[in-house]
Each structure stands twice: as C-alpha cells, then as structure tokens.
Amino acid sequence: MLQHLTIPRGPIELAADLYLPDSLPAEGSALRAVVLSTPGSSVKEQIGANYAARLAARGIAALVFDPAHQGQSGGQPRDLEDPYRRGEDISYAIDTLGTLPGIDPQRIGVLGICAGGGYAVHTARTDHRIKAVGTVVPGNMGTSFRGFQPDGPAAGLDAMAEARTEENRTGELTRENWLPDTLEDAAAAGVTDLDTTQAITYYRTERGGSEHSTNRRLSRGDALLLGYDAFHLVDQLMTQPLQVVLAGRIGTTGSYESGMQLWKLAPNPVDLMVVEGAGHYEMYDVPEYVDAAVDRLAGFYTDHL
C-alpha cells in the first residue's frame, strides 16, 4: 500500500511516500519502520522506491521523501545539495513518521543509499530516535568532493569563493551536471569508465530517469560538500547497530572503500554483506541484486527494531 504524505519542515514541506505492508498488524500492535535517505539529487520515485516497496513487501513500513530544494519538495533555491540539510530532512521525516497511527515510534530505523548512506550515518550519530542503521553502497560526499579538486581542496574553495562573488554580482546561479547527459557526451569528454556509463544509463534514460529530477546541483552547495565528513565522530556517537551492503565489483565511486571505513569505525557493526558481481549503480534497480540486499536488510531490521 502506498500513501502520499507531506512532511512539515519549518517554513516548507517535503513530499513523501509511505509504503505499507499489505497486511497491517493486529489491533494493539504497531509496525517497525524505516526512513530512506537516497542518493544525491535523486527523488523518491527512483532508487528509494525500489527499496521501500520491497521492505514493505517484507513487513516493514518504509518512508521515502524528496530532499528539501529538490523534486516535489519545497525550498529555494532549487537543486541545492546541502549535506547538513539532507541530514535534517531525515530528522523531520522521523518527526512525522513517529506520529502516524500504526507506526511504533520506538522502532524506527534508517536506510541510506550511496550519498544518502553518508547522510543517514551522519544523522544517526546525534538523532538516537534512529534505532538501527542500514546502508547500501554508502558514500562519503566530503571525501568524494575533496578528491574531485585537481589542485586540492583549499584551491577548490578559493575558486568557489570567486565564483560565488561573481554570482552575487550578476544574480545568476550556476548549476552543474552530476553526469554527462548522454553516453555520446561522455565519450566526447573522454569519460569511459564503467561506473559512469552505468550511472548515465540509469539516470538519463527511461530506466531510472524521473520528470521530477533535474539531476543537476547548485554549484554554491559544492563548498558545503567539500568541507563535509559524513563519518565524523561515528566511532564515538553512532552506537546503533549497523548493516553495510556493498557492491562486489569495486569501481570508481569510492563506495566500497567508504563502506569498509564505516564498518571499521562503527562501535556496533552487526553485518557486512558484499553482493558479488554487482556494480555500484546496479545496486539501484537490478532485481537480483536489490532483492538480495533487501532480504538481508529486512532480517537486520527485524532483529534490531
């Protein structure tokens, strides 16, 4: 069962979908539930829906939402990818989820995928209403963005400062592609690695594209991403049980390395799953791989929520 919800978030609202099991619990009992934190600039109809629907089919309520400034959620300017606000979104989602009839507010977990894995972990450190943390191909956007700077992160920040000064002068905000728009564009730019081409064939085609996602990011958010560390103080603060699911084919996204780092840092790691043969983006929607991950995650949440 699918319910469309709005989540109050200060002066704006987040658009959300709640996936419920077809068989609801008996009167007097309540469902365990999971809030999903999705990849950068993705919307609720994409990767999050694939996992939420499968969790619901296994008896776990799952809430997926569009981040603030993106998709059908409110917030200006549009296309902002602010890692700190992404974490706050999760907490606002828990505010709403915990008040819904039939949901047990004491049995709420989180599932973060790709960049959303880092956001989920960062939030769980300090929001201990989250009782269990699951991640699939988790990424640390700070590590990624620092690695993207050809002259180093400090020089990157200098360039971003100059660009923002120019934007303020002209009043024109700049947006960047997360990916080339087509495989032809990627080839023309000399981009040939398998992970990037698989990302394009997911996000830029009918397979995974959504009319609600621009797949662009506002460039002034890049400085926030560059200074971010999703795993800061995890070893001291994130005491919840942790499940990590990784793609077995190690590619260029850095998620395998981030997942292993998280596994080593976490005070309460419970289960590490490596999905053999899968690439990072194949964990988004290839049924064989997603079903295997959700089977393991459902068992984890059943045991720990």
Side-chain angles (χ1 to χ4, degrees):
M1 292 186 287
L2 174 62
Q3 295 181 3
H4 302 298
L5 303 176
T6 56
I7 297 170
R9 194 201 193 289
I12 68 171
E13 292 182 334
L14 306 180
D17 286 337
L18 176 63
Y19 290 78
L20 293 168
D22 288 334
S23 298
L24 296 179
E27 186 175 351
S29 60
L31 291 166
R32 55 177 62 86
V34 172
V35 173
L36 282 92
S37 175
T38 55
S41 289
S42 71
V43 293
K44 61 187 179 301
E45 293 82 8
Q46 296 176 308
I47 304 96
N50 293 334
Y51 279 82
R54 285 171 166 84
L55 285 170
R58 290 160 175 79
I60 299 169
L63 179 70
V64 60
F65 60 88
D66 290 342
H69 306 270
Q70 299 176 28
Q72 294 174 291
S73 290
Q76 294 291 337
R78 304 304 295 168
D79 300 321
L80 177 66
E81 184 77 14
D82 179 336
Y84 304 99
R85 289 183 69 80
R86 286 289 304 261
E88 291 171 353
D89 290 342
I90 297 169
S91 290
Y92 277 103
I94 293 170
D95 291 342
T96 293
L97 184 61
T99 66
L100 297 178
I103 301 296
D104 187 340
Q106 299 302 318
R107 294 197 296 173
I108 293 177
V110 70
L111 172 59
I113 305 162
C114 188
Y119 300 148
V121 165
H122 199 256
T123 305
R125 300 169 316 137
T126 53
D127 192 338
H128 282 202
R129 294 175 302 171
I130 296 169
K131 303 303 183 184
V133 180
T135 63
V136 175
V137 291
N140 185 337
M141 289 296 284
T143 300
S144 297
F145 261 72
R146 287 186 290 274
F148 291 161
Q149 309 307 310
D151 299 317
L157 286 170
D158 291 341
M160 292 172 194
E162 292 180 8
R164 182 155 181 169
T165 298
E166 180 64 14
E167 284 185 345
N168 290 335
R169 186 186 68 79
T170 64
E172 297 181 4
L173 299 180
T174 303
R175 287 169 170 79
E176 304 288 347
N177 284 7
W178 284 100
L179 296 163
D181 282 323
T182 66
L183 291 174
E184 291 75 19
D185 288 348
V191 177
T192 59
D193 76 272
L194 181 58
D195 280 327
T196 301
T197 56
Q198 287 188 342
I200 293 168
T201 57
Y202 178 80
Y203 281 113
R204 299 293 204 238
T205 68
E206 291 184 4
R207 171 184 159 200
S210 169
E211 62 179 322
H212 303 302
S213 172
T214 67
N215 213 235
R216 303 289 195 271
R217 71 178 189 278
L218 196 68
S219 60
R220 65 172 47 189
D222 287 357
L224 298 173
L225 292 166
L226 200 150
Y228 181 68
D229 181 359
F231 301 158
H232 181 57
L233 296 179
V234 159
D235 57 332
Q236 299 177 50
L237 300 178
M238 201 189 80
T239 56
Q240 300 95 323
L242 171 70
Q243 166 84 63
V244 176
V245 179
L246 301 176
R249 180 179 60 75
I250 301 173
T252 58
T253 66
S255 63
Y256 185 92
E257 294 83 355
S258 290
M260 293 304 297
Q261 180 191 15
L262 174 61
W263 178 255
K264 293 173 183 176
L265 284 172
N268 191 10
V270 169
D271 186 38
L272 173 65
M273 178 186 190
V274 178
V275 183
E276 296 299 338
H280 179 102
Y281 294 100
E282 291 171 315
M283 292 301 303
Y284 284 8
D285 71 334
V286 174
E288 172 189 356
Y289 301 140
V290 177
D291 285 335
V294 175
D295 282 342
R296 192 79 153 250
L297 287 159
F300 168 73
Y301 292 125
T302 299
D303 290 343
H304 297 283
L305 291 179

